[in-house]
């Protein structure tokens, strides 16, 4: 039987109790408060549910992560950067980015419900959730958002309205996180897109160990709204 979260308690069940089918389903219920979402990320789970469903919390095994020092930038994306057709910013249009990510991409609609958008905007106002914006001729054409705790960044979603826009935003963020000595970027589940950057699977136990070690560490990252750029060098290959 799926554990049901109490409305007045932000504790989660042990990750080892997550279901194998569907993979990683850990608990249901609760709410999307800043306190509960922060506790969820520290614990190693995240919310994911469709419209009409209760809030569901997941911790898949294995977990797909990217170690910033193992990031791979393809030759084709290097060429895109050299063309300088995009500009990238940090935390300048969070609401617009999450709206872009929430746009339906197929007949199944979107999992980023209005309640989810509101919750992550509250996380943003609390200084915990952050956005990367990609612009072309002063128009928002792509971006991504996620959560930062200590030296771990938890990626949530990205979108593109122009080819390669989200890749440029993601690569720029990874370069910034690498420079600031972040230990880990959580990508949640495998996609070929993320694998092309060097994302890899690790066990849920190993993932939890990284969280225990790095989410409470101080981070030198400057999250104030500003422009970002990626310095292309041999270490980006």
């Amino acid at each position: 039987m799926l554990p049901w979260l109490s409305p007045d308690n932000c504790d989660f069940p042990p990750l080892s109790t997550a279901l194998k089918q569907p993979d990683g389903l850990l608990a249901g219920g609760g709410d999307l408060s800043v306190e509960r979402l922060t506790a969820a990320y520290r614990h190693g789970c995240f919310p994911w549910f469709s419209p009409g469903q209760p809030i569901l919390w997941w911790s898949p095994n294995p977990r797909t992560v990217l170690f910033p020092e193992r990031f791979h930038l393809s030759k084709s994306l290097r060429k895109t950067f050299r063309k300088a057709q995009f500009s990238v910013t940090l935390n300048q249009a969070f609401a617009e980015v999450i709206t872009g990510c929430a746009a339906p991409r197929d007949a199944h609609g979107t999992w980023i419900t209005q309640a989810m958008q509101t919750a992550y905007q509250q996380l943003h106002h609390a200084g915990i959730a952050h956005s990367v914006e990609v612009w072309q001729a002063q128009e928002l054409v792509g971006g991504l958002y996620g959560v930062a705790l200590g030296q771990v960044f938890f990626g949530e979603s990205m979108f593109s309205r122009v080819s390669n826009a989200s890749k440029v935003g993601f690569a720029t963020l990874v370069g910034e996180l690498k420079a600031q000595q972040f230990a880990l970027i959580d990508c949640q589940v495998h996609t070929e897109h993320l694998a092309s950057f060097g994302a890899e699977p690790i066990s849920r136990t190993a993932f939890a160990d990284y969280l225990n070690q790095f989410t409470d560490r101080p981070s030198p990252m400057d999250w104030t709204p500003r422009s970002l750029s990626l310095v292309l060098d041999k270490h980006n290959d």
Side-chain angles (χ1 to χ4, degrees), residues 77-87 135-137 168:
L77 196 53
R78 289 174 69 90
K79 292 179 180 178
T80 298
F81 273 100
R82 289 195 176 100
K83 292 178 182 177
Q85 57 184 326
F86 300 113
S87 59
W135 309 85
Q136 187 175 55
V168 166

Side-chain angles (χ1 to χ4, degrees), residues 18-148:
L19 300 181
K20 293 183 178 180
Q21 291 295 332
D23 178 33
L25 182 56
L26 180 67
D31 56 28
L32 297 173
S33 66
V34 169
E35 293 76 17
R36 191 182 300 273
L37 285 170
T38 303
Y41 284 103
R42 290 188 186 280
H43 187 63
C45 62
F46 56 87
W48 182 52
F49 56 98
S50 299
Q53 291 183 329
I55 299 172
L56 300 175
W57 302 90
W58 301 78
S59 183
N61 187 33
R63 189 76 163 228
T64 298
V65 303
L66 177 63
F67 297 97
E69 67 274 12
R70 301 180 193 173
F71 172 67
H72 170 72
L73 186 65
S74 68
K75 291 181 179 179
S76 62
L77 196 53
R78 289 174 69 90
K79 292 179 180 178
T80 298
F81 273 100
R82 289 195 176 100
K83 292 178 182 177
Q85 57 184 326
F86 300 113
S87 59
V88 182
T89 59
L90 176 70
N91 281 334
Q92 290 192 353
F94 187 92
E96 291 87 344
V97 166
I98 197 170
T99 297
C101 292
R105 304 176 195 187
D106 53 39
H108 299 291
T110 178
W111 59 270
I112 307 176
T113 63
Q114 187 57 56
M116 288 280 276
Q117 292 183 54
T118 299
Y120 280 84
Q121 288 185 52
Q122 291 173 344
L123 272 181
H124 175 64
H125 292 314
I128 299 170
H130 307 283
S131 62
V132 172
E133 304 87 20
V134 182
W135 309 85
Q136 187 175 55
Q138 298 183 323
E139 178 184 356
L140 184 67
V141 294
L144 62 98
Y145 75 97
V147 168

Side-chain angles (χ1 to χ4, degrees), residues 150-165:
Q151 295 174 356
V152 179
F153 186 84
F154 303 82
E156 275 297 318
S157 186
M158 60 179 69
F159 79 101
S160 282
R161 294 172 182 152
V162 173
S163 179
N164 288 325

